[in-house]
């Protein structure tokens, strides 16, 4: 079955870095766009970054441009989100998904908590 498993979250100080991983199984990763989303309690899930199939193109939310980088290693069935210069407002549960538009997503990971705090 289709599964997406996020890892790499944690507690980091402002200005620090984390790398999230999304490991996929049950489907051929390179055929699909993969999106990273985040959600804080009481707010809608928002798109953070997207990698098109085979990594042909990438996109970012304005709030993370220049700080976050999405990449993928289809041979390892993994998509990464490198997050640098983290800010307290980046605190959220981060999810990866098999699509970049939330309304079209059928498969979500379980999420990984990122907390940016001193």
């Amino acid at each position: 079955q289709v599964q997406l498993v996020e890892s790499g979250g944690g507690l980091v100080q402002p200005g620090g870095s984390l790398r999230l991983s999304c490991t996929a199984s049950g489907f051929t990763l390179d055929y699909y766009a993969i999106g990273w989303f985040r959600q804080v309690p009481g707010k809608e899930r928002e798109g953070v970054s997207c990698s098109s199939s085979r990594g042909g193109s990438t996109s970012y939310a304005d709030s993370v441009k220049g700080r976050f980088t999405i990449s993928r290693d289809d041979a390892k069935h993994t998509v990464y989100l490198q997050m640098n210069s983290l800010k307290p407002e980046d605190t959220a549960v981060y999810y990866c998904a098999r699509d970049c538009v939330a309304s079209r997503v059928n498969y979500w990971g379980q999420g990984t908590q990122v907390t940016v705090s001193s």
Side-chain angles (χ1 to χ4, degrees):
Q1 70 277 24
V2 172
Q3 279 193 314
L4 297 157
V5 179
E6 302 94 336
S7 62
L11 173 64
V12 63
Q13 291 187 342
S17 298
L18 284 174
R19 188 177 79 158
L20 305 183
S21 299
C22 170
T23 302
S25 60
F27 65 100
T28 304
L29 181 63
D30 55 348
Y31 290 174
Y32 293 89
I34 299 294
W36 281 99
F37 299 78
R38 65 186 182 187
Q39 190 170 26
V40 297
K43 292 190 176 181
E44 288 190 3
R45 198 166 294 189
E46 67 166 335
V48 174
S49 183
C50 176
S51 171
S52 66
S53 62
R54 297 182 175 86
S57 65
T58 59
S59 62
Y60 300 91
D62 287 344
S63 58
V64 306
K65 276 181 184 175
R67 299 187 298 122
F68 289 12
T69 303
I70 191 170
S71 62
R72 59 196 292 161
D73 186 337
D74 290 334
K76 293 184 177 180
H77 311 289
T78 302
V79 179
Y80 304 98
L81 185 69
Q82 178 68 43
M83 307 187 296
N84 298 330
S85 303
L86 283 161
K87 304 175 181 180
E89 51 263 45
D90 294 317
T91 296
V93 178
Y94 283 72
Y95 300 87
C96 63
R98 198 178 77 169
D99 208 303
C100 292
V101 177
S103 60
R104 297 199 304 242
V105 172
N106 291 319
Y107 298 100
W108 293 96
Q110 83 287 352
T112 186
Q113 175 71 47
V114 171
T115 302
V116 185
S117 175
S118 55

